[in-house]
Amino acid sequence: MNMINKIKPAVPKRILFFLAAFVWVFASYKILNLGLIDVIKNTTDYWINIAIGLVIFYLFFKYVFYKMYLKHTKRIINSRSEFPCMFSFFDIKGYIIMFFMITAGITLRKADIIPHIYLATFYIGLGLAIFLAAISFVYSGIRYNFVKDKFYNTNI
């Protein structure tokens, strides 16, 4: 156990929020980029697709990513280790979900089951929701002491 603690890439809890934000900003950029390019290439009425994407954004952020942000924030704050592993900004379940989402997105896109314009509209909403989750993690990193007081030993 002592050897593992010596070699694990440990960081302060506050840094975990910035690492999570970095991962989500990268993911949101890739997804938004695909969505916006496909919408602009495949229609002249792209404002309709962007408006629908905003509805998808609202639903995904409110019901998926905000809850995920709260769960991981609470878990990080209440972690026993003051210097957890730098990859512990998500739990195992979070990494599995992320792997599934990436795999499903690539598979749907490559299989051409869903027309690209519809998938692109969905990507716009999903990318924006992930981006706002990233901003939420940045907020927790910047306002760490406030967030720590709010989430320490709470039931969310």
Side-chain angles (χ1 to χ4, degrees):
M1 183 69 173
N2 199 12
M3 180 63 168
I4 291 173
N5 283 336
K6 286 183 181 180
I7 62 171
K8 95 174 169 186
V11 295
K13 290 180 183 180
R14 180 181 211 159
I15 299 302
L16 289 180
F17 293 111
F18 295 114
L19 291 172
F22 175 77
V23 168
W24 283 128
V25 163
F26 178 76
S28 70
Y29 169 76
K30 297 297 277 180
I31 294 167
L32 268 172
N33 192 37
L34 283 172
L36 290 171
I37 287 172
D38 272 356
V39 164
I40 291 169
K41 276 196 324 190
N42 292 310
T43 184
T44 56
D45 297 327
Y46 55 88
W47 292 108
I48 294 168
N49 298 87
I50 291 173
I52 295 168
L54 289 173
V55 172
I56 293 168
F57 150 72
Y58 172 78
L59 295 171
F60 262 80
F61 183 73
K62 181 175 182 180
Y63 295 110
V64 178
F65 290 103
Y66 185 68
K67 289 179 180 182
M68 180 218 56
Y69 156 75
L70 292 174
K71 174 187 156 193
H72 290 300
T73 298
K74 181 181 178 214
R75 186 183 48 75
I76 291 167
I77 294 294
N78 290 303
S79 170
R80 284 181 265 167
S81 175
E82 285 301 314
F83 291 90
C85 178
M86 69 184 287
F87 302 108
S88 65
F89 50 85
F90 297 139
D91 56 7
I92 296 295
K93 183 179 174 186
Y95 280 110
I96 291 169
I97 290 169
M98 188 167 42
F99 173 78
F100 172 75
M101 288 175 62
I102 292 168
T103 304
I106 292 170
T107 303
L108 280 174
R109 190 166 171 78
K110 296 292 183 191
D112 280 332
I113 297 169
I114 299 171
H116 282 247
I117 190 69
Y118 299 131
L119 203 54
T121 303
F122 176 75
Y123 282 170
I124 290 170
L126 182 65
L128 289 172
I130 292 172
F131 183 73
L132 191 53
I135 298 302
S136 300
F137 281 115
V138 169
Y139 172 82
S140 290
I142 292 171
R143 302 278 323 262
Y144 179 75
N145 290 327
F146 172 76
V147 172
K148 184 177 176 182
D149 291 341
K150 182 177 177 183
F151 288 102
Y152 188 71
N153 283 328
T154 60
N155 293 321
I156 291 181

